[in-house]
Every structure is written in C-alpha cells, then in structure tokens.
Amino acid sequence: MSLAAYCVICCRRIGTSTSPPKSTYWKDIRNIIKLTGSLILGGSLFLTYEALALKKSLTLDTQVVEREKMKSYIYVNTVPIDKRENHGILYQARKELHKAVRKVLATSAKILQGPFADTFSTVDLEDHECAVWLLLQKSRSDDRAARMQAVQEMLAARHWHDYQYRMIAQACDLRTLIGLARSKESDLRFFLRPPRLPSLKEDSTIEEELRHLLASLPQTELDECIQYFTSLALSESSQSLAAQKGGLWCFGGNGLPYAESFGEVPSAAVEMFCLDALVKHSEISTHCDKIEANGGLQLLQRLYQLHKDCPKVQRNIMRIIGNMALNEHLHSPIVQSGWVSILAEAMKSQDIMEASHAARTLANLDRETVQEKYQDGVYVLHPQYRTSQPIKADVLFVHGLMGAAFKTWRQQDNDQVLNEKVSEDETRYTTCWPKTWLARDCPSLRIISVEYDTSLSDWRARCPMERKSIAFRSNELLRKLRAAGVGDRPVIWVSHSMGGLLVKKMLLEASRKPELSTVINNTRGMIFYSVPHHGSHLAEYSVNVRYLLFPSLEVKELSKDSPALKTLQDDFLEFAKDKNFQVLNFVETLPTSIGSMIKLHVVPVESADLGIGDLIPVDVNHLNICKPEKKDAFLYQRTLRFIRETLAKDLEN
C-alpha cells in the first residue's frame, strides 16, 4: 500500500469514527509520521503532494497541478480549505505530519548540505522541491568548488520531472547555465526555449532589417576589407542581384561575388553579403555593442532559425555570436536573448563544424573554467566540453593554401570509405581525424585548429583589396593563438603546405619578442605535411603561365625565386637546429589534378626537405598527404607515434 493511500485511510478513520479513544487517534497519526520519516530517511526526498497535504490532496484539481508544473513549480496556498478544520482532529493530524516532515527534511539538509540548512526557512517552496532549490542555492555560492559541484549534481539527477528541469532553467544564474551547456551529459530540458522574437517592422523583410543593422554600424576608420563587404551588402538588393544575373555580370562591378552565388536565391545571396560584413564588424568590440543595442541578437536568431537547411549561413551567424562573446559585458544579453539553448543543442550535433562553432562560442561565454579567449578562426577540437581530464599539452593544426580548419583534416575518400560513411563508428570514418581519432588516443591534449582566408588568384579573393603576405598572416595568427593560451603548456605544431611556412614564420617572430618567449620555450616539435620549404611547382606554373590569372600574393611567395621564402628557410633552419626541435616531414609522391586537364607534382621531395628531421615519402597526392585513409594507416599511426614520443615526458607528469 502506498503512503498516500495509507494516510487517506487513516484520515477517513479519524474523521468518521464517532467515539474512538484518543489513544487510537494519536496512534494512527504516529503511524503516518513513522512511515513518512522512514521513507525520507531511506533516501527519498520526493514525497507525493497527497502525502504532504492529506485531505487537501483529495480536493485539489489535478489539471491545475499539471498546468502549474508546466509553468515552473507548484505554489502552495497557506489559507486553509475549510476554517472549521483549524480546531478538529484532522487539523491536528495534518499539523503534526507537516511538522515532522519539515523536521526530517531540515535534518537531512544539515547532514547533506551543511551551510544551506537555513534555506527552508527563507524560500517559499514545497518540501519535495527542497533538493532542487538547495542545488540552485549551492550553484550561487561564493566558493567556486561548491558551484562546480552543484552543476555536477544537477547533471547527475536522472529522476527529475520536466517541471523540475524548468525550475532550474528559470532560476539558475548565467554561470550555472553556461556550465550545464558545456557539459556532455546535459539534458536539453535544462534550457528554456528562446523568448518570442519581436515582429519585423511593418512592410519590412529580413534582408532590409539586416541592411538597416549594417547601416547603423560605424562606417569610418575601417580597414579596406570591412569597407568592401559593407558597401557590397548595402549597395545591392535581391532585385538588383537577380537583374544582373541576367546579363554579363562576370566582368562588371563586383562580378566575382555574383559568380560565386550564381544559382542561389537572390535574397539569400544578399543576406550572405550582409553576414560577411557583420562577421568583420563583430571583430571590433565597439561594433559588437552597436549590434546588440540595435537588436542584432534577435535578428540573427531569426535568420538562424530560418536557414536551418543552409549550414553556411548558420556558421557565419555563429561566428558573429562567438565574436560578440569575447566581450564579457555582452554575456548577459546573449544569454537573455536565448542563444544558450541554441548553442547547447548545436553542441550535440553530429556535424563537426556545427558543434565546433557552438563550442567556441560557449567557451568564450564560460569564464568559470576557461581563462583563454578564442577569436574568430581559432577552434578547439578537443576538449569541447568541460572535463576533469587534466590537459597537459597542445597540438595545433594549421592548414595551407585554399584549406580550412576542418576539411583539410578529413579522412581520405575512397570507395570503401564512402560506403562506411553511413556508420556512426568514428573509428571507421571521420570528417576531422584530429577531433575523433587523436582526441581519443591522446585525451590529455588540447587540440586546436585554425582557419584563415587564402586564395590562389586575385580573381577569387573574397576581398579584392586584401593583399596579405605570409608575414602579415603569421603575426595575425600568432596574436590569436596567444590569446587562446598557446605557449602556456608544451606545444606540437602540425601543418600542411603553406601552413608550414606560417608556422615557421610565427616561431621566428615569437623568438624576437620577449613577451612571447613562452611559445618558443614550450615548443617541443613540428610535423610538416608536404610543406614547400624551397618553393612549389604550382607557384612556378601559376606565375610563369598565368594559368590562374593574376596569382595571389600567397602564391607568388611560394615561388622558388621568392626572396622572402629563401630568407625564411635559412633563418628557420638555423633557429630550429639551435633549439633542437623534433621534426617530422611527410611528402607526396603522386601528382595532383589541377582542373580536368593538368596534373602537377605540387611539392617535390627536394622542396619538402627542411634539412632536419625525418623525411618520409608517401604514395598520395598533395591534397591527401594530410588525410589518412583509415585509422590504422601509416600516415596516422606515424603521426600519432611522433606526438606520443615527443610529448612523453610532458604527458607523464
């Protein structure tokens, strides 16, 4: 028989007997209290509402209860149902029962929670909800360890009802909410749905609202690329874009962006132009304030929900929110606008890019456990969640010309692998092997991948005014990586193609600046995948034949006769020998298809030879030299062995 049923029977007996002895009344009451206490002391703090309120439970409208639960939690009226009960034996029974329950709960609280025992006397709540509110109180403690423990206890609670998760969602503070979002075991019921978005202005469209937001941002003292993206977004509309697609748009005005967006819905293309500009603006702190003040958080959320089938749009929006999260005074508006629930859901995505963009933003919001700040283009592949695993070293991945933070490091595609993509087993197929394979084999590493814009030809440059040299890019990346804490622990650099030249330049620059000495002192080694230390055939072909039409500055710097490249090689070789860095070089032996008619050996063996370290030829082309065919392939296993051996002493400590 349940406690509730037993209580009701006893109450009926008490209320309906005509002349029972008083000892029988109190015997029944003591039996109820005894049974109640034994259940509580047996470990259950969750009593049914009927057991606590007795007769009130018999007359309570259950629809009201369910409705209240859906809102947040049940509020209990203290006014008695019937004033005549104040002096009857039923009233005395209820009074004694409540007194006993509160006493036992308070005792349990003192035993389990210590300093939070007084919570019961200060919070208006039901007794069976005390555990939830104790955790909320604990999560607001001045003691960081107590706050962290409270989050862990919330995550460990598997027996809660929906309304109890809503209690946490409504009452927890920013730190707790971010902690839950950055925990792998978090239940999405911890996060409230985003508030209802404000309606668009009358006769307005999202495209027009985006342009209005962009126009409200400062337009002076900007670099040339921000000015370019902004003017492009403000000068074009979906109508003008559609009209120009009907003519010879390739060779007039801003033909290249139109060519790249050909086939897209015109309004979506204009939205992308606006987002490109907003990404650049969001790198400026004062512009982030303007974006927030002018309703940008809500507008971007509307656009994000509208383009669920367009990952590129969603990623650009995530980049903007991630950049805004670098400013701590904007954390509260970001949370209040409902972005945390979106980010928490994206973190659980099977799409590595989506999850990584969300992880970067949440890490920037998490000032409880994260000291570093991850600027645009710097992504932590592992660990993306909060973890108790101590991080002992960093491994950095730097892509090359036309590469990216994720696609450069995907698994090599072949017929067998393509058939295995349907499997969720990441040991058989992965779209980013550093995140899945390396993170699993070396869990004590922090794995970072960087991304930056490159182009083979100035025709295809996203910003025609952009002329970034290797020296410029290396300084930019070094600044971002230092903000992410690179140099605070042992480091191994992993690079492909031109990315290796950036690594060399970054280390040389760091060696010349005393404030960056930790980057040099903590560098243990580097892995080069087909890095053209002495120039590339692709660069020679592009410059001599003009195959790509106006080769970009990056391509020109890869030519064998490039003075900058020769100086970089000579300086770095002397520097690396002096520091006794561990080095591993891989190089392709197969040609790479350039278009449908041309095949080039992009980096020959003699160019990939740094002059120190092992040089290992592999029977793949330039694109696949950094993409292992499978986890037990030589490319991955040799890479893994180098990392483990180079960091052996650091990982043991």
Side-chain angles (χ1 to χ4, degrees):
M1 181 183 296
S2 69
L3 172 64
Y6 183 75
C7 292
V8 171
I9 290 173
C10 292
C11 289
R12 286 177 178 172
R13 179 179 165 191
I14 294 170
T16 57
S17 298
T18 55
S19 57
K22 288 187 177 181
S23 60
T24 305
Y25 299 153
W26 295 111
K27 181 179 180 181
D28 291 331
I29 294 172
R30 284 195 295 271
N31 286 339
I32 296 173
I33 295 171
K34 183 178 180 181
L35 179 58
T36 302
S38 65
L39 285 176
I40 296 173
L41 293 176
S44 173
L45 290 175
F46 297 92
L47 300 176
T48 61
Y49 191 85
E50 291 86 354
L52 290 175
L54 294 177
K55 185 179 177 181
K56 192 181 294 186
S57 69
L58 301 177
T59 59
L60 187 65
D61 184 352
T62 56
Q63 291 183 350
V64 173
V65 176
E66 292 303 318
R67 193 159 54 245
E68 286 295 322
K69 284 184 177 182
M70 291 299 291
K71 292 178 182 177
S72 58
Y73 53 89
I74 303 174
Y75 293 89
V76 179
N77 294 322
T78 57
V79 179
I81 296 176
D82 191 337
K83 292 182 179 180
R84 291 174 298 177
E85 296 177 359
N86 288 349
H87 304 287
I89 191 65
L90 183 60
Y91 170 76
Q92 294 296 329
R94 293 173 60 198
K95 183 177 179 181
E96 291 296 326
L97 178 60
H98 276 274
K99 186 185 297 183
V101 170
R102 287 183 179 276
K103 184 176 181 180
V104 174
L105 285 170
T107 302
S108 300
K110 289 177 181 178
I111 295 172
L112 299 174
Q113 305 296 338
F116 303 104
D118 294 336
T119 302
F120 297 106
S121 61
T122 59
V123 179
D124 183 19
L125 72 157
E126 281 300 304
D127 296 318
H128 66 286
E129 294 169 353
C130 287
V132 177
W133 286 101
L134 281 169
L135 286 178
L136 282 167
Q137 178 78 358
K138 188 176 180 180
S139 71
R140 294 174 180 268
S141 169
D142 293 334
D143 180 36
R144 178 180 175 276
R147 296 196 301 269
M148 300 287 290
Q149 181 63 30
V151 172
Q152 291 304 310
E153 291 177 20
M154 290 177 186
L155 294 168
R158 304 295 182 188
H159 53 274
W160 284 351
H161 300 290
D162 285 351
Y163 79 96
Q164 289 169 310
Y165 283 101
R166 290 188 178 90
M167 288 167 59
I168 297 288
Q170 291 181 355
C172 70
D173 61 7
L174 185 150
R175 290 181 303 198
T176 304
L177 188 66
I178 299 302
L180 292 169
R182 293 198 69 234
S183 300
K184 193 170 186 178
E185 307 82 8
S186 65
D187 191 306
L188 292 179
R189 289 177 291 177
F190 277 122
F191 312 102
L192 297 175
R193 292 180 179 178
R196 187 174 180 178
L197 295 171
S199 301
L200 293 174
K201 296 177 182 178
E202 189 175 355
D203 298 328
S204 181
T205 65
I206 290 184
E207 176 190 323
E208 292 170 341
E209 292 290 329
L210 276 173
R211 287 152 60 91
H212 178 75
L213 174 63
L214 198 54
S216 69
L217 302 178
Q219 306 295 319
T220 58
E221 298 182 4
L222 304 176
D223 70 33
E224 292 181 329
C225 282
I226 299 181
Q227 291 179 6
Y228 166 76
F229 284 120
T230 302
S231 63
L232 177 62
L234 294 178
S235 63
E236 301 299 341
S237 66
S238 56
Q239 291 82 6
S240 65
L241 179 57
Q244 293 190 52
K245 279 189 176 183
L248 296 177
W249 38 262
C250 285
F251 301 100
N254 298 311
L256 176 66
Y258 297 148
E260 292 180 338
S261 63
F262 188 67
E264 297 178 9
V265 177
S267 60
V270 174
E271 289 168 1
M272 279 301 299
F273 294 159
C274 291
L275 290 176
D276 284 338
L278 286 171
V279 167
K280 295 294 184 182
H281 279 279
S282 67
E283 294 177 358
I284 305 172
S285 178
T286 55
H287 291 211
C288 289
D289 294 340
K290 293 284 187 180
I291 292 173
E292 188 275 324
N294 293 324
L297 290 170
Q298 291 77 19
L299 181 60
L300 291 171
Q301 192 176 124
R302 184 187 298 278
L303 193 61
Y304 185 91
Q305 301 291 3
L306 183 65
H307 288 288
K308 289 184 177 180
D309 58 343
C310 187
K312 188 176 180 181
V313 169
Q314 291 195 325
R315 287 196 295 270
N316 264 356
I317 293 173
M318 283 282 195
R319 288 175 66 187
I320 297 169
I321 304 301
N323 290 346
M324 295 179 71
L326 291 167
N327 306 282
E328 294 187 34
H329 63 282
L330 293 179
H331 287 187
S332 182
I334 291 172
V335 171
Q336 291 173 2
S337 62
W339 270 103
V340 175
S341 63
I342 297 173
L343 295 168
E345 184 175 0
M347 278 278 283
K348 297 181 181 295
S349 172
Q350 294 299 313
D351 184 287
I352 286 178
M353 295 177 69
E354 181 182 2
S356 298
H357 278 276
R360 172 191 168 238
T361 303
L362 285 171
N364 284 337
L365 289 171
D366 186 6
R367 297 299 93 189
E368 183 86 302
T369 63
V370 181
Q371 286 74 47
E372 304 86 1
K373 291 191 175 182
Y374 298 101
Q375 299 189 25
D376 192 32
V378 180
Y379 302 98
V380 176
L381 303 182
H382 173 80
Q384 293 187 336
Y385 293 102
R386 283 186 178 181
T387 178
S388 58
Q389 170 76 52
I391 302 302
K392 298 182 177 180
D394 291 338
V395 176
L396 272 65
F397 287 81
V398 185
H399 68 78
L401 198 62
M402 301 301 293
F406 305 97
K407 73 177 184 180
T408 292
W409 315 106
R410 68 179 182 268
Q411 186 173 346
Q412 180 182 337
D413 291 339
N414 56 42
D415 292 340
Q416 180 183 358
V417 167
L418 289 172
N419 292 331
E420 292 173 352
K421 283 184 182 181
V422 295
S423 171
E424 294 183 359
D425 184 2
E426 292 176 335
T427 62
R428 297 171 65 84
Y429 183 80
T430 175
T431 55
C432 185
W433 61 262
K435 183 181 185 300
T436 51
W437 298 348
L438 184 58
R440 191 167 300 171
D441 289 333
C442 300
S444 59
L445 297 178
R446 181 177 64 157
I447 303 172
I448 294 178
S449 186
V450 302
E451 185 160 293
Y452 55 95
D453 292 330
T454 65
S455 61
L456 291 174
S457 166
D458 283 344
W459 276 111
R460 292 195 56 81
R462 296 183 69 249
C463 173
M465 279 71 72
E466 190 173 57
R467 299 289 188 274
K468 291 186 176 179
S469 63
I470 290 175
F472 180 91
R473 291 190 188 281
S474 65
N475 278 309
E476 184 179 52
L477 279 179
L478 187 59
R479 174 180 55 81
K480 290 183 177 183
L481 291 173
R482 192 67 195 100
V486 172
D488 293 341
R489 54 174 70 93
V491 184
I492 285 182
W493 304 78
V494 183
S495 57
H496 174 237
S497 193
M498 191 187 80
L501 305 181
L502 287 175
V503 169
K504 290 160 61 177
K505 189 66 176 177
M506 278 191 281
L507 291 174
L508 283 174
E509 289 297 321
S511 69
R512 295 163 183 158
K513 299 177 180 178
E515 67 273 18
L516 297 177
S517 60
T518 56
V519 175
I520 303 302
N521 296 336
N522 274 319
T523 292
R524 299 290 187 265
M526 51 213 70
I527 299 174
F528 296 115
Y529 290 105
S530 286
V531 172
H533 301 292
H534 305 280
S536 167
H537 287 333
L538 174 63
E540 293 178 58
Y541 189 82
S542 302
V543 172
N544 295 334
V545 186
R546 297 295 191 270
Y547 170 76
L548 295 173
L549 300 179
F550 303 108
S552 64
L553 181 57
E554 295 103 323
V555 171
K556 292 177 182 177
E557 286 191 328
L558 295 180
S559 302
K560 283 188 176 181
D561 57 353
S562 167
L565 189 63
K566 188 177 187 309
T567 300
L568 175 60
Q569 168 60 17
D570 294 342
D571 291 349
F572 183 79
L573 183 58
E574 181 181 356
F575 167 69
K577 286 180 178 179
D578 179 62
K579 294 297 181 180
N580 196 29
F581 293 140
Q582 298 300 304
V583 177
L584 178 62
N585 302 279
F586 291 103
V587 61
E588 79 250 23
T589 61
L590 300 180
T592 303
S593 296
I594 308 295
S596 59
M597 300 178 63
I598 300 172
K599 286 190 174 183
L600 286 176
H601 199 157
V602 179
V603 179
V605 174
E606 60 271 17
S607 182
D609 186 0
L610 176 64
I612 55 174
D614 294 337
L615 177 63
I616 304 176
V618 185
D619 290 334
V620 292
N621 63 28
H622 186 70
L623 297 178
N624 289 329
I625 189 66
C626 54
K627 298 176 178 63
E629 208 171 303
K630 48 189 176 180
K631 190 175 181 182
D632 59 1
F634 171 78
L635 260 173
Y636 175 70
Q637 290 300 321
R638 186 66 182 87
T639 297
L640 178 62
R641 194 178 95 193
F642 177 87
I643 292 172
R644 282 175 169 169
E645 290 176 351
T646 305
L647 294 174
K649 293 181 180 179
D650 300 300
L651 298 179
E652 287 174 1
N653 296 333

